[in-house]
Amino acid sequence: MREATQHHSRSKTYSGRFLRPHKPWLTDLIGQLGIKSALDYGCGKGAQYSWVDPLDGLTLEQAWGFEVAKFDPCWPEFAELPQGQFDLVICTHTLGSIPTRDLPWVIERLHRMTRKAVFIAEKIGPIKKGVHGDRKGFVNDWGVIDWLDVIAPHVREGVETHLSVVYKSPHGKFTGRFLLQ
């Protein structure tokens, strides 16, 4: 984690911009499930919550109607894990930066912290982010089945688990969404 914290402090990464493309879909999910609270687990620097969508002139929190609790152990402002449960736990492009040995307990934590839904977004294919000097022991070049295999054992009855994946190829960009129940 020290390596990730150092990278965080000297890098423009961890801006949270990878959450932005999910706004329309998350906004629909929030409305459908009557979500009134959310936690962004692995929020990075939290810049995604000051971003104003040019389509509607709203920040994410304004569009959703509530303040999102934020957690990122590698950024001092959000290093303390909020207590309690939330209607929704959002985890975008975070799990790929966690050692694979820790993924089961982290994914279990995501599910324990929610009442209604978990939303996970991850990249399919090679991880190029230079957070860790040695990628051994971390997710690298995983496909959809790999992600489903590590997430599925932690799905709880009555909690929707959504996995959104993006794969870029020479032929274009593929986005897939999966609902695990």
Side-chain angles (χ1 to χ4, degrees), residues 4 9 22 26-27 45 49 60 84 87-88 104 106 114 124 130-131 162:
S9 68
H22 301 287
L26 280 167
T27 301
K45 295 172 179 153
Y49 295 102
L60 293 170
D87 289 342
L88 172 65
V106 171
T114 191
I124 299 300
V131 178
H162 299 266

Side-chain angles (χ1 to χ4, degrees), residues 82-156:
Q83 297 303 303
Q85 282 192 312
F86 301 85
D87 289 342
L88 172 65
V89 174
I90 301 166
C91 186
T92 55
H93 301 275
T94 298
L95 298 179
S97 296
I98 295 173
T100 53
R101 71 176 181 276
D102 293 332
L103 287 175
W105 73 259
V106 171
I107 294 167
E108 179 64 30
R109 176 188 270 178
L110 300 178
H111 283 86
R112 278 195 325 266
M113 294 187 78
T114 191
R115 289 184 286 269
K116 296 184 180 184
V118 173
F119 176 82
I120 297 169
E122 283 299 332
K123 181 182 179 224
I124 299 300
I127 304 291
K128 296 177 184 168
K129 189 186 289 184
V131 178
H132 306 283
D134 180 7
R135 290 289 313 164
K136 187 176 182 177
F138 290 86
V139 170
N140 194 27
D141 208 16
W142 277 23
V144 174
I145 299 301
D146 298 303
W147 283 112
L148 291 172
D149 282 348
V150 77
I151 294 167
H154 306 285
V155 172
R156 287 188 6 234

Side-chain angles (χ1 to χ4, degrees), residues 1-6 8-9 14 44 71-76 78-79:
M1 189 154 79
R2 188 181 88 248
E3 205 174 5
T5 301
Q6 289 172 345
H8 219 330
S9 68
Y14 299 102
F71 172 68
D72 193 307
C74 297
W75 192 245
F78 305 121

